[in-house]
Amino acid sequence: MTTISLVAGNCGRGRGYEDGRFEFRSNLYLGKDFLASDLFNNNPFRRRANGCLSKALKGFGNGNGRRFRVIGRVKKGKKHDYPWPDNIDLDIKDGHLTYLSHFKPLAEKPKPVTLPFEKPLVDLEKKIIEVCRMADETGLDFTDQIGALENKYQQALKDLYTHLTPIQRLAIARHPNRPTALDHILNITEKWVELHGDRAGYDDPAMVTGIGTMDGKSYMFIGQQKGRNTKENIFRNFAMPTPHGYRKALRMMKYADHHGLPIITFVDTPGAYADLKSEELGQGEAIAHNLRTMFGLKVPIVTVVVGEGGSGGALAIACPNKLFMLENSVLYVASPEACAAILWKSSQAAPKAAEKLRITAQEHYKRKIADGIIPEPLGGAHADPVWTSQQIRLAITQAMDELTKMDTEELLRHRMLKFRSIGGFQEGKPVEPERKRNMKPSDASMLNAADIESDLEKLKKNILEAKVPSDPITDQAIEKLKQDVDNEVTRAFISMGLKEKLESLKLELSRASDNQTLNRNLKVKVDKLMQEFKQNLSRPGAYLGLKQKLEKLSMVSRLIEQKEKGEKLKAEINQKIPSEIKEKLEQLETAQANLSKGDPLDEDLVAEAVKAKKELIEVLKSANLEIVGVAKRKAAAELQEKIVNVKKEIDGEIERVIDVAGLRGKIEELKAEIAIDSSSPKVEKLQAEIKEEIRTALDDTALKQKVENLRREFATSSEEVIDDKVIDDKVIAENGRW
């Protein structure tokens, strides 16, 4: 293809511009004779050294005799546009037709990426680099130290990658440098040609297809392609195919079925692209069509999950006879982040969701969804892509050798039975006709509010009534409560996604020295982590079980502290009270006991008691204690019993009114709404309605009279009682006041 560009030289009067353009003031006319004869006749033109052709034209000029000159530059273009090159080798025997693919070698090596859980290994790498640098600078022999550090690094790497959690395997499957489908295809094939288009005018770059050979046999390869950098990811749409991509894969499957080519698919996608345009073009229909068609293909199909496989977007090319998964690949119906957002209302619970979803290759193999696990090198497939690809090739060839021995009927039945055997069922077990499920954040071991309140009252009673400072039963209950809180806190850290930060911080603390600067830095990190934890914990409706147990533990701690302070204060007062006053108080107690039996009252003993009381008050004042009241323990105990009886009577009356008015259903509805969101307007509305109906149906005249009588009796039963807490039969104490 040849093009000619025409430029006007500055040959006459006119107006010149800095960019080389020229504007003539006189009117010029270029006729057809010029175009027909002069322009396409090469003889009149003179070739210049810069490759331009020029000719002075007669009859064109202005009044000063200046001529108009036309200059033509010849530019040579490509003979063919993409994808065909100028010289095609028609006798090619091996290799890849690179001009048929957008997939080219990267100009720069990808930058190393460290995953969060790999940060402990970074410290060892830095130490190895530092020792090597010192050896180069000083010339000393550090071979033993470097060898020891490298062995330690390899052992740490082995320990880390042999005990990976599901969320960590997910991070490896999403690693930016992880080999893509085309990387594996180019590594395992001798010949490869990429095919394009869905025969409807579209070619989705997120879905790659083509024909390749292994050991002289031809196969149809289909895979979802991620990018190796940001630019490629945008071009490949982050491996999320549109309906055009699935129809392109369907066309290639039918092509392979027609020509008898075994099919190999590579799964690596977070899911099908779910934008509005894809839905309008029939995303669900395209996936469903692929699923239906794959079960009827008469050629062997092998699928390898090389990264992450998300929902139906992965399944649309993964209905094979044999399914293999790389060691650190994942396959899920919904991403852990999406699952956590649905079930726990926060994507921070993704680690917990990843465990519950059973997304790893090991879990799929255990449940016979995957037929085999392909090993990866330590550090993931990106640590040695070629070795990983060869392991994939070995698994594929072994599976194909087995499948190609089957006839068509056996192959179709084998594929059908594979999927029919997934899952299980039970017979003879009754099924609940209706089962309500609470999707809000909750724990199976979380007690309801009534149970926690009952346990707290029981524990409080044991603490206050204990005759010795340490009661074994009470201590055992408190220790169990602390263990429950520790377990709840650990689970909360995991669901918030803070476990890795916590483990990293523990590792730093274990290595920390006495350096004050280092300790200050660690303190800042600890404060920051705890601030993030408290912020997540304070969200409404989140971690209800942990919040209730923390409140319970806080209350118990305050009670124990109060009891210890009271015992200490009591011991100090007993030391300061003279023995004479103690003897008089004992005589007074004996007289009170005799009086309760009907014996006459000794007036002298009463006078002695009043005198002892005044002396005791003076002793307490000398100990900087304030006297706030005196009460009788027996009267208080009787009054407490009456209060309990009246409370039971009120509760019974309310229960009777609830049954009569038919409020049970509404109360159950209120409990369900509180479990979902205790602060919602619907909860407040239901509470107000229930209270109003109870108040209307309740005949509270008699109950009010009993409560009023109880109040009068309480007012006359003692001289003064502070905060309704009676501690001693002679002196009341509350927060250090007597």
Side-chain angles (χ1 to χ4, degrees):
M1 184 185 297
T2 303
T3 60
I4 299 179
S5 60
L6 301 179
V7 296
N10 192 357
C11 302
R13 273 183 200 175
R15 182 177 175 185
Y17 294 87
E18 294 180 357
D19 59 358
R21 293 183 293 111
F22 190 86
E23 179 184 340
F24 289 97
R25 295 184 183 275
S26 58
N27 294 327
L28 298 178
Y29 176 78
L30 299 179
K32 62 179 181 179
D33 294 335
F34 166 76
L35 294 175
S37 61
D38 291 334
L39 183 59
F40 295 100
N41 188 358
N42 291 329
N43 293 330
F45 285 86
R46 294 178 300 178
R47 186 175 297 276
R48 293 184 177 179
N50 60 0
C52 297
L53 299 178
S54 66
K55 181 188 179 195
L57 303 181
K58 296 179 181 180
F60 295 94
N62 54 15
N64 294 330
R66 301 237 179 151
R67 289 191 168 189
F68 179 82
R69 185 177 297 275
V70 175
I71 301 174
R73 184 186 298 274
V74 178
K75 295 182 179 178
K76 290 186 177 181
K78 292 183 179 180
K79 185 177 180 181
H80 301 286
D81 291 332
Y82 169 83
W84 306 105
D86 290 334
N87 298 317
I88 300 177
D89 186 3
L90 301 179
D91 298 325
I92 185 171
K93 299 299 183 184
D94 56 7
H96 309 126
L97 301 182
T98 56
Y99 50 83
L100 289 178
S101 175
H102 294 282
F103 192 77
K104 310 295 181 185
L106 290 175
E108 297 180 358
K109 187 178 180 181
K111 296 180 180 179
V113 178
T114 302
L115 298 175
F117 67 90
E118 293 178 325
K119 289 181 180 178
L121 299 174
V122 176
D123 297 334
L124 290 173
E125 289 181 353
K126 289 181 178 179
K127 288 182 180 180
I128 294 173
I129 295 172
E130 182 66 21
V131 173
C132 292
R133 185 183 62 80
M134 290 175 59
D136 293 338
E137 291 178 354
T138 61
L140 299 176
D141 186 11
F142 290 98
T143 305
D144 295 339
Q145 290 83 349
I146 294 173
L149 286 174
E150 288 179 346
N151 291 335
K152 187 176 180 181
Y153 175 84
Q154 291 297 327
Q155 184 61 39
L157 182 66
K158 183 178 179 180
D159 294 340
L160 181 63
Y161 273 83
T162 51
H163 301 90
L164 290 172
T165 63
I167 197 67
Q168 290 172 343
R169 293 193 186 276
L170 178 63
I172 298 173
R174 294 173 175 173
H175 197 286
N177 297 339
R178 191 171 178 85
T180 63
L182 281 176
D183 287 317
H184 292 302
I185 290 173
L186 294 176
N187 285 336
I188 67 178
T189 58
E190 295 95 16
K191 292 183 182 180
W192 160 253
V193 55
E194 185 175 344
L195 303 177
H196 299 270
D198 63 348
R199 290 299 184 265
Y202 298 95
D203 181 34
D204 187 0
M207 185 76 73
V208 294
T209 60
I211 300 175
T213 61
M214 293 189 303
D215 299 328
K217 299 178 182 178
S218 296
Y219 299 91
M220 175 63 73
F221 290 89
I222 300 172
Q224 289 142 343
Q225 177 66 19
K226 282 187 176 180
R228 297 166 293 178
N229 50 43
T230 304
K231 183 178 180 181
E232 283 193 8
N233 269 321
I234 294 173
F235 174 70
R236 302 284 183 181
N237 198 28
F238 295 87
M240 293 185 290
T242 63
H244 310 306
Y246 292 113
R247 290 176 181 131
K248 172 183 174 181
L250 179 63
R251 181 176 80 87
M252 298 304 171
M253 291 178 194
K254 291 181 177 179
Y255 179 89
D257 188 47
H258 177 75
H259 292 281
L261 299 176
I263 299 173
I264 300 170
T265 64
F266 291 93
V267 174
D268 189 12
T269 178
Y273 195 45
D275 67 331
L276 178 61
K277 189 67 175 177
S278 296
E279 295 298 333
E280 290 175 350
L281 293 173
Q283 184 73 283
E285 183 274 339
I287 294 174
H289 199 173
N290 280 28
L291 295 176
R292 184 183 67 179
T293 303
M294 288 192 76
F295 281 101
L297 297 178
K298 300 176 182 178
V299 293
I301 306 175
V302 173
T303 295
V304 181
V305 183
V306 297
E308 58 177 333
S311 190
L315 200 61
I317 61 169
C319 297
N321 296 94
K322 294 283 187 179
L323 174 67
F324 297 100
M325 297 181 68
L326 286 181
E327 184 180 353
N328 295 317
S329 63
V330 294
L331 191 61
Y332 48 75
V333 68
S335 68
E337 294 83 1
C339 177
I342 295 170
L343 296 182
W344 293 280
K345 310 302 179 186
S346 173
S347 60
Q348 298 296 324
K352 183 177 180 180
E355 293 181 6
K356 300 295 183 183
L357 285 171
R358 306 287 193 267
I359 63 175
T360 62
Q362 292 74 18
E363 293 289 349
H364 285 86
Y365 181 71
K366 187 188 302 182
R367 287 160 177 77
K368 298 182 180 180
I369 298 172
D371 297 289
I373 299 175
I374 301 175
E376 295 184 26
L378 289 177
H382 53 280
D384 193 347
V386 176
W387 185 87
T388 306
S389 298
Q390 294 308 314
Q391 298 302 311
I392 293 174
R393 174 173 177 159
L394 181 62
I396 290 174
T397 53
Q398 290 177 352
M400 284 298 179
D401 290 342
E402 177 185 348
L403 296 174
T404 50
K405 296 177 182 178
M406 301 180 184
D407 58 26
T408 302
E409 293 299 326
E410 290 178 340
L411 200 64
L412 293 174
R413 182 168 179 78
H414 178 274
R415 194 178 307 146
M416 182 269 293
L417 291 177
K418 171 180 170 54
F419 283 86
R420 288 297 298 270
S421 64
I422 294 175
F425 59 90
Q426 281 185 325
E427 291 182 342
K429 185 176 180 181
V431 180
E432 298 179 22
E434 183 180 356
R435 183 178 180 183
K436 295 181 179 180
R437 300 180 184 272
N438 181 17
M439 305 303 287
K440 286 294 290 181
S442 61
D443 297 319
S445 61
M446 188 178 73
L447 300 174
N448 57 41
D451 293 337
I452 290 181
E453 185 177 353
S454 175
D455 291 345
L456 182 59
E457 289 297 328
K458 189 183 297 183
L459 195 58
K460 178 180 176 181
K461 183 178 179 181
N462 292 337
I463 293 172
L464 294 178
E465 294 181 356
K467 300 297 183 181
V468 293
S470 178
D471 181 25
I473 298 177
T474 305
D475 292 344
Q476 185 177 0
I478 295 173
E479 188 63 29
K480 183 178 182 301
L481 177 61
K482 289 181 179 180
Q483 291 178 358
D484 291 343
V485 171
D486 287 341
N487 294 334
E488 292 284 348
V489 169
T490 302
R491 286 196 287 268
F493 267 96
I494 294 174
S495 65
M496 293 177 188
L498 301 177
K499 184 180 179 182
E500 294 175 358
K501 292 183 180 180
L502 182 63
E503 295 296 334
S504 177
L505 197 58
K506 286 181 180 179
L507 187 60
E508 291 185 26
L509 287 171
S510 64
R511 296 177 179 175
S513 60
D514 296 333
N515 190 340
Q516 295 182 356
T517 304
L518 181 61
N519 291 336
R520 283 198 298 270
N521 293 335
L522 287 176
K523 186 178 183 302
V524 170
K525 292 182 179 179
V526 171
D527 293 341
K528 185 177 179 181
L529 182 62
M530 290 307 301
Q531 182 179 0
E532 187 176 356
F533 175 77
K534 290 178 180 178
Q535 184 177 0
N536 292 329
L537 188 66
S538 63
R539 292 199 310 271
Y543 309 103
L544 297 179
L546 177 58
K547 289 178 182 177
Q548 291 170 344
K549 290 181 180 179
L550 285 174
E551 291 175 2
K552 182 178 176 182
L553 183 61
S554 176
M555 176 65 74
V556 170
S557 300
R558 289 197 300 269
L559 287 173
I560 293 174
E561 184 180 358
Q562 181 182 348
K563 181 70 180 296
E564 291 176 351
K565 286 182 178 179
E567 294 292 336
K568 182 179 179 181
L569 189 60
K570 186 176 180 181
E572 292 177 359
I573 292 173
N574 288 333
Q575 290 178 358
K576 292 181 180 180
I577 296 176
S579 58
E580 295 83 2
I581 296 177
K582 291 182 179 179
E583 292 177 359
K584 292 179 181 179
L585 293 176
E586 290 176 358
Q587 292 176 2
L588 182 60
E589 288 181 355
T590 304
Q592 287 177 342
N594 295 333
L595 185 62
S596 62
K597 296 177 182 179
D599 294 345
L601 183 64
D602 189 352
E603 297 294 336
D604 295 336
L605 187 60
V606 172
E608 291 292 332
V610 172
K611 184 179 178 181
K613 174 183 174 183
K614 293 180 179 179
E615 292 177 357
L616 178 61
I617 291 173
E618 293 298 327
V619 171
L620 295 176
K621 286 183 178 180
S622 66
N624 295 324
L625 295 174
E626 179 185 359
I627 308 301
V628 296
V630 177
K632 297 180 180 179
R633 175 184 297 171
K634 184 176 180 181
E638 293 176 353
L639 189 62
Q640 182 70 23
E641 184 178 356
K642 290 182 180 180
I643 292 173
V644 172
N645 292 333
V646 171
K647 183 177 182 300
K648 288 181 179 179
E649 188 174 349
I650 292 172
D651 292 341
E653 185 65 20
I654 291 175
E655 289 292 328
R656 185 188 67 78
V657 170
I658 289 173
D659 292 334
V660 172
L663 297 177
R664 292 290 180 188
K666 191 170 287 189
I667 291 175
E668 292 298 326
E669 183 182 357
L670 176 61
K671 290 180 180 180
E673 290 295 331
I674 290 174
I676 296 172
D677 187 0
S678 59
S679 60
S680 67
K682 190 174 181 180
V683 171
E684 297 177 359
K685 183 180 178 182
L686 286 172
Q687 287 176 342
E689 291 177 357
I690 293 172
K691 287 180 181 178
E692 184 62 28
E693 292 185 19
I694 291 175
R695 190 180 295 112
T696 303
L698 184 65
D699 183 12
D700 57 352
T701 305
L703 294 176
K704 285 182 178 180
Q705 186 63 35
K706 289 183 179 181
V707 172
E708 189 63 30
N709 294 337
L710 199 60
R711 285 179 178 172
R712 284 197 295 267
E713 186 177 352
F714 179 77
T716 58
S717 65
S718 62
E719 296 178 5
E720 185 178 4
V721 180
I722 304 300
D723 290 338
D724 298 339
K725 293 187 178 180
V726 180
I727 303 299
D728 195 76
D729 60 347
K730 292 174 279 299
V731 183
I732 299 172
E734 176 63 25
N735 294 331
R737 303 174 67 231
W738 289 72

